[in-house]
Amino acid sequence: MTRSHAGPDAHAADHPPPRFGLRLALAAVLLVLFVAALCVGTVTLNPLDLPALLGAHEEAPLAIVVAEIRLPRALLAVIVGASLGLAGAALQGLLRNPLAEPGIIGVSGMAALAAVLTFYTGLAAASVWILPLGGMLGALAAVAALALLSGRETRILTLILAGVAINSLAGALTTLVLNLTSNPFAAYEIFFWLLGSLANRSFEHVFMIAPFTVVGWWLLLRTGRGLDALSLGEDTAASLGIDTRRLKGRVILGAALSVGSAVAVSGVVGFVGLVVPHLLRPLVGHRPGALLSASMLGGATLTLAADLGTRVPLPQGELKLGVVTALIGAPFFLRLVLRGDAR
Amino acid sequence: MGVVRAGRAVLGGVDTALDDGEFLGLIGPNGAGKTTLLRALAGLERTSSGEILYHGEHLATLPPAARARHCGYHPQAPELHWPLDVASIVALGRLPHGASLERLAAADHEAIHGAIERTGLAALVARRGDTLSGGELARVHMARLLAGEHRVLLADEPIANLDPRYQVEIMNVLREHARRGGAVIVVLHDLAIAARYCDRLVLLDGGRVRAAGSPHEVLAAHELMGAFGVGADYLAMSGIAGALAARE
């Protein structure tokens, strides 16, 4: 690249333009998968029939399948995946570590514990808002505990280990609740819910979490500048005019709202927040700010793809979404650790 | 002004003024309070007494972005947590001016370009930070500082761990900033370099100003003996005497 001429073009060459191409490509893949999610299942449909089926007023069985079963399920996959991808990218930016993932550092685990408690105590049946509220409170407790530990003096390794400990504690307490559940059917319900799934969800679930999710996204998407500045450390970020305490608060609250509400409807869907930012980071020049919206789209794409994967017919019944994402994610996690990226 | 941390006064009775175009060196033994003073001046440390004024405005009442536009800060150990490219690192210096990495105005590009030119980084703009040598990275952090177009630059040991060539390069860049009318406060451990480059020196010892004035006054043998416990022979051995003589 020559730099002999000065002018606006030469300056622009110092700094690559925003990578909208990546986001556009992800959105296109997402759209294709979304159409596939409406067409693929026990009954496979022609995509060209979808507009007619979605616009149909009569109670045709196929129209009901698409509008009331597959559409909310696909929407939830997009919402849950976007939340997990976005929260993963934001937490990694805040903690400056590629291992910070809602599932690994106990955020999803605590949300699941709180949700399970609302099932166990029967509170979940009292109001539709109790379950997402429980999930968010659990997530908030986990992120707040981590933020307290993430003070200036704490090493990142300590923080990750604390997250792992929080996760183990949440797992142990969840098992305890299962252990104490006297009704075997309730225990069965809780157990399968914990595996993470989007099967048999309705629009009620979409409306239940939408307000919290949207606020969480709004909070997280506004942290880009601050997270970019944090690449240079907390002191330098503050010297650049970033209010680091407010930034921390935003990420914590945003992650708790979006992950907590996602876990409340889907159970634990792990590793999306780890795999997606990791794959996309080099494509956005390792910029934490640009990674946010890209990971949101990527998370939605991966989760929708994984949910399609669960529909592979097996003699034992349908696979669970959390199982599929874990099968993809766990080897990734191992690779990150072995490559030493996690320091 | 003073700073109290965990009930202990780490800095007290510091009273000094800095003019535009002035190059001030902050020296003193380890633990003297140099970094604390610099962090307080950057608004990163809460002062327990006294006040800091920038052109008549109280630092404590300035909004973070306004404070950040006034003074740029180079920490003792610059960090880089993600392998951003050089252009992005330098562009972060524009955040106080309302820019973001995704949205840079013409003025931002201008400032980034100027900073890259002044630090001789034009050939490295597309390189990732983690592929640079320590000296190259130090220049990148210096370019980030310059891109902010701050009136006051606060640099904490910017030449620590650098080989002589990079030490001279970084000091020249800072000197140039003062020559263009900006003010510079730099923490230095190399007293010969301090003697060579600084208009004025402040010698901190135990959180107090032990001596302040021209390099000749502050680097006198009795002050060095008092603060560092080294005598007249150190002046010759370290090259301070030669640097002072060269200023004449």
Side-chain angles (χ1 to χ4, degrees), chain B residues 135-184:
Chain B
E136 288 166 337
L137 202 54
R139 279 196 295 169
V140 174
H141 286 294
M142 194 48 63
R144 190 276 300 163
L145 190 65
L146 294 179
E149 297 182 318
H150 313 277
R151 205 179 312 216
V152 183
L153 295 187
L154 307 166
D156 197 349
E157 295 189 39
I159 58 169
N161 304 319
L162 294 184
D163 68 31
R165 180 186 133 209
Y166 285 119
Q167 291 191 5
V168 170
E169 275 184 17
I170 296 285
M171 290 308 288
N172 283 340
V173 166
L174 290 172
R175 180 77 253 181
E176 175 64 17
H177 181 79
R179 196 170 294 142
R180 289 173 176 224
V184 177

Side-chain angles (χ1 to χ4, degrees), chain A residues 83-84 87-88 91-92 99-109 167 259 273-274:
Chain A
S83 287
L84 293 173
L91 286 170
Q92 289 168 24
L99 285 193
E101 196 262 348
I104 294 170
I105 59 175
V107 181
S108 303
N167 205 22
V259 174
L274 179 82

Side-chain angles (χ1 to χ4, degrees), chain A residues 3 11 14-15 18 23 92 96 98 225 228-233 235-236 238-241 281 285-288 290, chain B residues 39 44 64 67-68 73 75 79-84 87-88 91 95 99-102 104 109-110 113 125 128 144:
Chain A
R3 214 165 289 281
H11 293 170
D14 287 340
H15 210 81
R23 275 162 268 197
Q92 289 168 24
R96 285 154 278 163
R225 277 178 89 236
D228 281 340
L230 268 190
S231 306
L232 302 179
D235 266 359
T236 305
S239 82
L240 288 169
R281 187 170 285 116
H286 297 265
R287 299 172 178 188
Chain B
R39 285 173 48 83
L44 302 173
R67 187 201 66 217
Y73 173 72
E79 301 167 35
L80 181 63
H81 293 280
W82 304 108
L84 301 176
S88 298
L95 293 190
S100 76
L101 290 187
E102 308 301 300
L104 293 169
H109 285 298
E110 198 79 43
H113 195 70
V125 275
R128 274 170 46 160
R144 190 276 300 163

Side-chain angles (χ1 to χ4, degrees), chain B residues 203 210-211 217-228 230-232 235:
Chain B
L203 171 58
R210 182 181 188 95
E217 292 162 344
V218 176
L219 295 174
H222 67 280
E223 299 289 9
L224 294 189
M225 180 51 89
F228 297 97
V230 293
L235 282 175

Side-chain angles (χ1 to χ4, degrees), chain B:
Chain B
M1 45 118 358
V3 172
V4 175
R5 204 186 284 146
R8 194 173 73 89
V10 287
L11 204 60
V14 177
D15 186 4
T16 189
L18 187 68
D19 285 325
D20 284 341
E22 198 173 4
F23 197 110
L24 178 78
L26 215 49
I27 57 171
N30 290 328
K34 305 182 295 295
T35 294
T36 306
L37 175 56
L38 212 64
R39 285 173 48 83
L41 291 173
L44 302 173
E45 191 91 43
R46 198 187 289 271
T47 53
S48 48
S49 60
E51 54 200 16
I52 298 164
L53 298 170
Y54 277 104
H55 282 263
E57 288 183 279
H58 287 269
L59 178 78
T61 59
L62 280 177
R67 187 201 66 217
R69 280 193 297 276
H70 267 299
C71 59
Y73 173 72
H74 179 290
Q76 200 175 72
E79 301 167 35
L80 181 63
H81 293 280
W82 304 108
L84 301 176
D85 58 47
V86 169
S88 298
I89 300 171
V90 178
L92 285 174
R94 297 301 296 171
L95 293 190
H97 299 270
S100 76
L101 290 187
E102 308 301 300
R103 204 183 56 247
L104 293 169
D108 298 320
H109 285 298
E110 198 79 43
I112 293 163
H113 195 70
I116 284 172
E117 292 282 303
R118 278 157 71 190
T119 46
L121 288 169
L124 302 179
V125 275
R127 286 268 296 277
R128 274 170 46 160
D130 60 342
T131 66
L132 302 176
S133 73
E136 288 166 337
L137 202 54
R139 279 196 295 169
V140 174
H141 286 294
M142 194 48 63
R144 190 276 300 163
L145 190 65
L146 294 179
E149 297 182 318
H150 313 277
R151 205 179 312 216
V152 183
L153 295 187
L154 307 166
D156 197 349
E157 295 189 39
I159 58 169
N161 304 319
L162 294 184
D163 68 31
R165 180 186 133 209
Y166 285 119
Q167 291 191 5
V168 170
E169 275 184 17
I170 296 285
M171 290 308 288
N172 283 340
V173 166
L174 290 172
R175 180 77 253 181
E176 175 64 17
H177 181 79
R179 196 170 294 142
R180 289 173 176 224
V184 177
I185 301 183
V186 56
V187 173
L188 291 168
H189 266 304
D190 188 322
L191 300 180
I193 291 225
R196 174 80 185 74
Y197 280 91
C198 300
D199 301 324
R200 198 151 60 89
L201 293 178
V202 170
L203 171 58
L204 283 178
D205 190 13
R208 306 244 150 211
V209 176
R210 182 181 188 95
S214 72
H216 277 285
E217 292 162 344
V218 176
L219 295 174
H222 67 280
E223 299 289 9
L224 294 189
M225 180 51 89
F228 297 97
V230 293
D233 50 340
Y234 183 79
L235 282 175
M237 183 184 78
S238 62
I240 299 172
L244 288 175
R247 292 182 68 93
E248 301 291 339

